[in-house]
């Protein structure tokens, strides 16, 4: 009877240990399932962020290209305007030079024919 009481006690203890192990195993399975859900959520979020990052990088490349082309266009326009301004200034200086030459010619001609040049106004053809 002593052996059977001891066996029964050992069996009860073993059964109790088995119950605790099964309970611990069930808790572990639940934790693993919860972790798998969290990993799945993180992976979905990671994929969404990757798509957003790809979109932003694409927009950035497009914007950089746009800005580069407009910068080049502005630079070309500025250079063209500078050339036109230089040409206009040269043309204006040429016109002033011709006007001085014409006034000098007028003065010389007036002296040759005996006119008083100070009293004769310069015609305004505009």
């Amino acid at each position: 009877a002593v052996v059977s009481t001891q066996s029964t006690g050992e069996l009860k203890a073993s059964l109790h240990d088995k119950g605790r192990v099964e309970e611990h195993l069930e808790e572990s399975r639940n934790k693993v399932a919860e972790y798998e859900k969290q990993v799945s959520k993180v992976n979905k979020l990671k994929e969404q962020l990757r798509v957003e990052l790809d979109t932003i990088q694409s927009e950035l490349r497009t914007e950089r290209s746009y800005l580069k082309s407009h910068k080049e266009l502005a630079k070309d326009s500025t250079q063209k305007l500078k050339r036109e301004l230089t040409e206009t200034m040269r043309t204006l200086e040429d016109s002033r030079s011709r006007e001085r030459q014409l006034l000098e010619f007028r003065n010389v001609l007036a002296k040759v024919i005996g006119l008083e040049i100070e009293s004769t106004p310069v015609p305004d053809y505009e």
Side-chain angles (χ1 to χ4, degrees):
V2 174
V3 173
S4 102
T5 307
Q6 192 177 19
S7 282
T8 306
E10 287 175 8
L11 288 174
K12 284 182 181 180
S14 185
L15 186 62
H16 179 65
D17 287 344
K18 181 183 175 196
R20 284 194 319 202
V21 168
E22 286 177 353
E23 184 181 310
H24 180 68
L25 183 61
E26 184 63 30
E27 288 174 6
S28 294
R29 285 182 184 144
N30 289 341
K31 285 182 181 179
V32 167
E34 184 61 34
Y35 292 149
E36 287 174 348
K37 286 179 186 177
Q38 289 177 358
V39 167
S40 177
K41 286 180 182 179
V42 166
N43 284 336
K44 285 179 184 177
L45 181 59
K46 178 182 168 185
E47 180 62 22
Q48 288 174 346
L49 291 174
R50 187 193 62 74
V51 168
E52 287 180 27
L53 179 61
D54 288 347
T55 302
I56 290 170
Q57 286 176 333
S58 175
E59 289 173 357
L60 181 60
R61 282 189 297 273
T62 302
E63 188 67 22
R64 281 182 179 162
S65 174
Y66 173 80
L67 290 174
K68 183 179 179 182
S69 67
H70 276 69
K71 180 181 177 183
E72 289 172 8
L73 182 62
K75 183 179 177 182
D76 291 345
S77 295
T78 302
Q79 289 174 346
K80 182 180 176 185
L81 287 172
K82 283 181 181 179
R83 285 190 303 270
E84 288 177 3
L85 180 60
T86 301
E87 180 65 24
T88 301
M89 293 299 290
R90 189 182 58 75
T91 303
L92 178 61
E93 188 56 39
D94 287 348
S95 294
R96 286 179 180 160
S97 175
R98 282 190 219 124
E99 181 182 18
R100 277 191 302 272
Q101 289 173 353
L102 286 172
L103 287 174
E104 288 173 7
F105 177 73
R106 177 180 176 261
N107 289 340
V108 169
L109 189 60
K111 285 181 184 178
V112 168
I113 60 174
L115 292 176
E116 288 190 31
I117 198 70
E118 289 78 25
S119 63
T120 309
V122 175
D124 185 9
Y125 296 107
E126 292 182 13

